Amino acid sequence: MSSQSTKYSSVIIGLHWLSLILMVLVYLSMESRSLFERGSDARDLVKALHYSLALTLLLLTGFRVLARLLDKAPPIVPSPTMLAQRLTGLGHLLIYGWMLGMILLGYLVLSLEGHDFQFWGLSVPLLTGEDSELAHQLEDVHKLGATLGYYLIGGHALMALWHHYGRKDNTLYRMLPLAKFKSGE
């Protein structure tokens, strides 16, 4: 990407929006499990889908982190204050940390429960031996983290809209695939 570019690379933009789609599917798969009776094949399928989608998101997040390290972010026009830049960096760090932490925590819970599970049909090794008490405690943390995720994702979207409508800068445009920024909109 050239230093004059006003948008992220198409790779970063694609990874961003694909991550959002996967995240929505991860949430939908877990929220919809209650539609099915405990122990039913349909409920087990929805849970298996949740695990595979989450691990896919984990891999995709690894690619996103690598892409962000290799590709310089385009400048925000007009430039925000240093404090705003630092807060933005902290917000992104929280979102990436939350995504990675939630998925790894879910994997740990499954391992502690002794549940064999698959990643799109491939067996996934368990990380630990069984410890149902610790699994239950960490599952509560995982559920709390899922609720926190709604706020992080919502806050991220609200900040993008605030930049667009409030600050009238190019923050949102930098991540939209086809949009062009016109200064002063």
Side-chain angles (χ1 to χ4, degrees):
M1 184 167 80
S2 77
S3 61
Q4 299 301 312
S5 179
T6 60
K7 293 181 70 81
Y8 282 100
S9 70
S10 57
V11 169
I12 289 180
I13 292 171
L15 290 172
H16 175 271
W17 293 106
L18 184 55
S19 294
L20 175 62
I21 291 166
L22 279 171
M23 204 173 300
V24 167
L25 292 172
V26 166
Y27 270 94
L28 282 174
S29 64
M30 217 54 233
E31 295 291 342
S32 66
R33 79 187 185 285
S34 63
L35 299 173
F36 305 101
E37 191 175 318
R38 283 184 183 266
S40 69
D41 288 343
R43 186 176 174 117
D44 289 343
L45 179 64
V46 169
K47 288 167 53 176
L49 183 62
H50 177 76
Y51 307 148
S52 289
L53 288 166
L55 288 176
T56 302
L57 183 59
L58 177 66
L59 293 173
L60 191 68
T61 301
F63 286 125
R64 284 185 71 184
V65 169
L66 180 62
R68 285 295 306 267
L69 291 173
L70 296 175
D71 204 353
K72 186 178 175 197
I76 297 174
V77 178
S79 185
T81 65
M82 185 56 70
L83 177 60
Q85 290 177 42
R86 293 199 191 283
L87 290 173
T88 297
L90 177 61
H92 285 114
L93 186 64
L94 283 171
I95 289 172
Y96 279 107
W98 167 79
M99 282 192 295
L100 293 170
M102 284 295 294
I103 298 165
L104 293 173
L105 185 58
Y107 184 6
L108 181 59
V109 167
L110 289 173
S111 295
L112 289 166
E113 290 174 340
H115 288 309
D116 292 327
F117 67 99
Q118 296 188 343
F119 173 65
W120 303 119
L122 301 172
S123 291
V124 177
L126 299 180
L127 298 171
T128 65
E130 286 188 51
D131 185 337
S132 60
E133 185 177 326
L134 181 57
H136 182 70
Q137 292 169 354
L138 292 179
E139 187 173 17
D140 289 342
V141 173
H142 188 68
K143 288 177 183 176
L144 180 63
T147 300
L148 174 64
Y150 284 118
Y151 294 100
L152 285 173
I153 296 164
H156 181 69
L158 285 174
M159 289 307 298
L161 292 172
W162 177 78
H163 274 275
H164 182 72
Y165 293 108
R167 285 202 77 237
K168 298 187 185 318
D169 65 23
N170 70 334
T171 297
L172 180 61
Y173 283 99
R174 296 181 319 154
M175 195 54 79
L176 293 177
L178 301 174
K180 303 255 190 255
F181 177 68
K182 295 175 191 126
S183 184
E185 277 188 357

